[in-house]
Amino acid sequence: MAKFLAELLGCTLPEKGASPMFECRSQPHIGLRHVTKQRDKMPQTPPFPVMYGSNGYNKNLYKAKEEDYEGLYYHENNLVSGSLEALIEHLVPTVAYFPDRTYIFTFLLSSRLFIHPYELMSKVCHLCVDQQRLADPQADKARVRKIAPKILQLLTEWTETFPYDFRDERMMKSLKELTHRLSTGDELYRKAVQQMTQTLIRKLTTLSQYEEALAKINSSVTDRLTVLKTKPQAIQRDILTICSDPFTLAQQLTHIELERLSYIGPEEFIQALVQKDPLDNDKRCFSDHKKASNLEAYVEWFNRLSYLVATEICMPVKKKHRARVIEFFIDVARECFNIGNFNSLMAIITGMNMSPVSRLKKTWGKVKTAKFDILEHQMDPSSNFYNYRTALRGATQRSITAHSSREKIVIPFFSLLIKDIYFLNEGCANRLPNGHVNFEKFWELAKQVMEFMTWKKVECPFDRDRKILQYLLTAPVFSEDALYLASYESEGPENNMEKDRWKSLRCV
């Protein structure tokens, strides 16, 4: 996991001649004062259709009775810290109280830094049963009817927003036990429980099918690479024979991006942080239960697209054809920018800046690079990617006021998003000196993740082209050595170092 994070955290734009791996740059310290200023900008995010106040969470139908909760600390009516036990109790509804929805999301997201989800579920179930006397056969039926909808709502929020938690059998066991107590003797609640459970199972089944499809795709790519090594002549197609329209290819790239984004669970961002340091006393017990790896799969897609671009450029024998491919990808990258697909845009730029491509000086001499220079300027890493962040804010605002589904698309440069979350986590302590959970930090963390959740829920409005998608996902790509070999064969080595490397590669 440390290697995976290292690859993500250096989100600087590669210079021409650099490898696609990113170089880590330092980040300014993020303090609580900064967090406080940012919380009032917390976005409205489905499935939380609520307005946020200055404290970073909404005024819901159920007003929290703050004086009922010992161990919670408020500053100017904002929850900023609390003991873990108090925060757990604050999550559990009563007859007169239901937790704020943004609090539910924020706590379920961040609590896994301190406690396993199955342990949290067990505590929640215990509090529900104990406080509401659900285990008592003589329990007031009217009271149960009042509390049951609220407990079911909490469980629904959990299963819909963090469904991957329930791949753990211990989670499912606790869920079944609690819902059984709520639905006994009441047909209405029994149906509600059944609907919630069926929705959860469908989501988990879909995830399993997606993982199987990815494994099948990866297996297909491996087989094709084996063929590539033994029979190079088997490669008869290139990207221009599959799709010669930049806008169409950008649309199909957006299909892949949105599909893979949609499977990333919010908890996967926390998992990436948790597993970074298994020796940390607070975190060491969480590395054994990884529920999903969609975040890593998405980063692997970025790398694949970069190598695919480089492969398509280095494969043609004729200089004129290579130049045409470069100009084609420049146009594709521009269309990705216009769509709001910044991740594919960055992957394409990364591929064109790889050393085997950038060294093709005679080829680049035939390319009109003005449009490429503009795109590189948009993704310039200086001033902490100021230009890109400005464009991202513009795309986000367009999405908020969108009149069509096309205008809703926002696909961020994902490695930079991970970097931002990583440095937020590193810049603020999880616990305060008194042992309280630093909840002010987690409001800001939740704000960033919730914005991502808004973006990933957008359905791609473009028609699917199975032939193009198949090619993008399974076409063989060269390794870095194979790219260099193809590059040297297109334009010979220019210095002794390149000559030595060429000889070495030809002997392999």
Side-chain angles (χ1 to χ4, degrees):
M1 195 64 185
K3 181 180 179 182
F4 167 69
L5 275 172
E7 293 176 2
L8 285 178
L9 295 182
C11 307
T12 55
L13 181 64
E15 300 291 339
K16 281 187 170 63
S19 72
M21 296 306 175
F22 301 113
E23 175 189 359
C24 188
R25 295 290 176 88
S26 61
Q27 192 78 350
H29 178 78
I30 302 175
L32 290 181
R33 185 173 300 174
H34 170 76
V35 172
T36 303
K37 291 179 179 178
Q38 291 295 322
R39 274 210 324 277
D40 62 346
K41 300 178 182 177
M42 204 167 186
Q44 181 175 334
T45 308
F48 312 103
V50 290
M51 295 303 294
Y52 295 84
S54 61
N55 55 4
Y57 52 95
N58 69 298
K59 299 302 180 183
N60 208 338
L61 290 173
Y62 304 99
K63 183 180 173 71
K65 294 185 177 180
E66 297 166 4
E67 65 273 12
D68 291 345
Y69 296 93
E70 297 180 1
L72 297 180
Y73 176 69
Y74 291 79
H75 178 65
E76 296 180 353
N77 295 320
N78 302 332
L79 175 60
V80 294
S81 69
S83 67
L84 182 60
E85 291 303 318
L87 291 168
I88 293 174
E89 188 171 350
H90 197 50
L91 179 70
V92 178
T94 66
V95 171
Y97 161 77
F98 186 81
D100 186 283
R101 282 182 168 180
T102 49
Y103 175 79
I104 294 173
F105 175 80
T106 303
F107 185 68
L108 291 180
L109 177 70
S110 59
S111 62
R112 59 200 72 229
L113 287 167
F114 310 98
I115 183 173
H116 275 293
Y118 80 86
E119 292 176 322
L120 176 60
M121 173 62 85
S122 179
K123 288 180 177 289
V124 168
C125 291
H126 175 75
L127 285 171
C128 288
V129 172
D130 185 54
Q131 290 179 356
Q132 306 304 324
R133 300 189 298 276
L134 297 179
D136 184 359
Q138 305 302 319
D140 184 354
K141 298 298 182 183
R143 182 182 181 85
V144 172
R145 282 195 292 271
K146 288 182 180 180
I147 190 61
K150 296 180 181 178
I151 296 176
L152 284 175
Q153 178 62 26
L154 173 63
L155 296 177
T156 299
E157 298 276 0
W158 198 335
T159 57
E160 288 185 353
T161 312
F162 299 91
Y164 302 162
D165 285 348
F166 294 86
R167 299 183 99 177
D168 190 327
E169 293 180 358
R170 294 167 294 189
M171 289 286 291
M172 290 299 291
K173 181 180 178 182
S174 295
L175 179 67
K176 290 177 181 177
E177 289 177 354
L178 181 55
T179 53
H180 176 71
R181 294 184 185 278
L182 295 175
S183 60
T184 301
D186 195 309
E187 184 64 23
L188 178 63
Y189 299 144
R190 187 181 296 112
K191 289 182 179 180
V193 167
Q194 185 180 26
Q195 182 178 3
M196 177 186 70
T197 304
Q198 289 175 346
T199 300
L200 173 61
I201 291 174
R202 279 197 300 271
K203 286 189 175 185
L204 296 179
T205 301
T206 301
L207 172 63
S208 296
Q209 293 171 343
Y210 170 71
E211 291 173 337
E212 291 173 3
L214 282 185
K216 187 175 180 180
I217 289 173
N218 292 336
S219 174
S220 172
V221 171
T222 302
D223 292 340
R224 285 175 176 232
L225 283 175
T226 302
V227 173
L228 176 62
K229 292 176 182 177
T230 57
K231 298 179 181 179
Q233 66 271 23
I235 303 302
Q236 299 175 353
R237 300 182 302 168
D238 62 20
I239 191 64
L240 291 177
T241 64
I242 300 298
C243 177
S244 59
D245 178 27
F247 185 49
T248 299
L249 189 64
Q251 290 178 334
Q252 300 312 303
L253 288 172
T254 303
H255 262 294
I256 296 173
E257 298 278 357
L258 287 174
E259 180 184 50
R260 299 209 170 191
L261 275 182
S262 70
Y263 285 97
I264 298 175
E267 72 279 5
E268 293 191 57
F269 293 98
I270 302 299
Q271 287 173 356
L273 302 176
V274 167
Q275 297 192 16
K276 174 183 67 68
D277 186 4
L279 298 180
D280 189 306
N281 289 333
D282 281 340
K283 303 176 183 178
R284 66 179 184 273
C285 61
F286 297 94
S287 60
D288 59 337
H289 283 290
K290 191 158 192 294
K291 307 301 186 301
S293 57
N294 303 303
L295 189 148
E296 288 92 330
Y298 188 52
V299 173
E300 289 171 2
W301 154 249
F302 178 96
N303 290 334
R304 170 179 167 75
L305 179 56
S306 297
Y307 272 91
L308 178 63
V309 169
T311 299
E312 294 289 338
I313 294 172
C314 290
M315 271 201 314
V317 176
K318 295 183 178 180
K319 177 172 53 181
K320 183 178 180 180
H321 191 181
R322 292 194 299 273
R324 183 183 171 203
V325 174
I326 290 175
E327 291 183 338
F328 174 72
F329 275 117
I330 291 173
D331 289 337
V332 173
R334 184 179 61 176
E335 295 298 345
C336 286
F337 179 85
N338 293 336
I339 289 173
N341 181 357
F342 298 105
N343 202 56
S344 289
L345 163 64
M346 189 61 172
I348 293 170
I349 292 176
T350 300
M352 289 195 285
N353 278 330
M354 290 175 66
S355 294
V357 177
S358 63
R359 65 168 299 278
L360 299 172
K361 296 178 182 178
K362 294 178 182 178
T363 303
W364 280 96
K366 291 189 170 293
V367 175
K368 297 177 182 178
T369 59
K371 290 184 288 187
F372 186 60
D373 293 339
I374 293 172
L375 292 173
E376 282 197 307
H377 176 72
Q378 288 291 343
M379 304 304 287
D380 184 352
S382 62
S383 301
N384 195 19
F385 284 87
Y386 176 81
N387 293 339
Y388 159 71
R389 293 182 189 278
T390 300
L392 181 64
R393 284 195 298 271
T396 301
Q397 186 60 36
R398 179 186 68 181
S399 178
I400 294 172
T401 60
H403 298 291
S404 69
S405 54
R406 294 189 179 193
E407 295 176 332
K408 292 181 180 179
I409 298 173
V410 181
I411 303 174
F413 173 29
F414 194 68
S415 293
L416 187 57
L417 174 63
I418 295 292
K419 179 181 179 181
D420 289 343
I421 292 174
Y422 172 83
F423 280 111
L424 170 61
N425 182 62
E426 291 297 298
C428 298
N430 290 337
R431 290 187 184 271
L432 301 179
N434 64 357
H436 274 197
V437 172
N438 181 7
F439 212 75
E440 195 168 19
K441 165 185 174 177
F442 296 121
W443 285 127
E444 174 66 10
L445 182 64
K447 180 183 82 74
Q448 294 198 19
V449 176
M450 289 174 79
E451 187 170 41
F452 163 79
M453 290 182 66
T454 303
W455 297 333
K456 79 166 195 164
K457 290 179 184 297
V458 174
E459 293 186 8
C460 190
F462 308 122
D463 293 333
R464 296 174 65 91
D465 188 310
R466 294 184 62 181
K467 186 178 180 181
I468 298 175
L469 291 172
Q470 181 76 5
Y471 187 86
L472 290 171
L473 292 169
T474 64
V477 296
F478 287 135
S479 65
E480 188 170 5
D481 284 346
L483 283 172
Y484 271 110
L485 186 58
S487 179
Y488 292 144
E489 290 176 351
S490 296
E491 296 186 20
E494 295 184 346
N495 53 52
N496 290 333
M497 184 178 70
E498 287 190 346
K499 289 178 182 178
D500 290 342
R501 182 164 193 172
W502 189 30
K503 290 179 182 178
S504 175
L505 291 172
R506 293 177 69 183
C507 293
V508 174

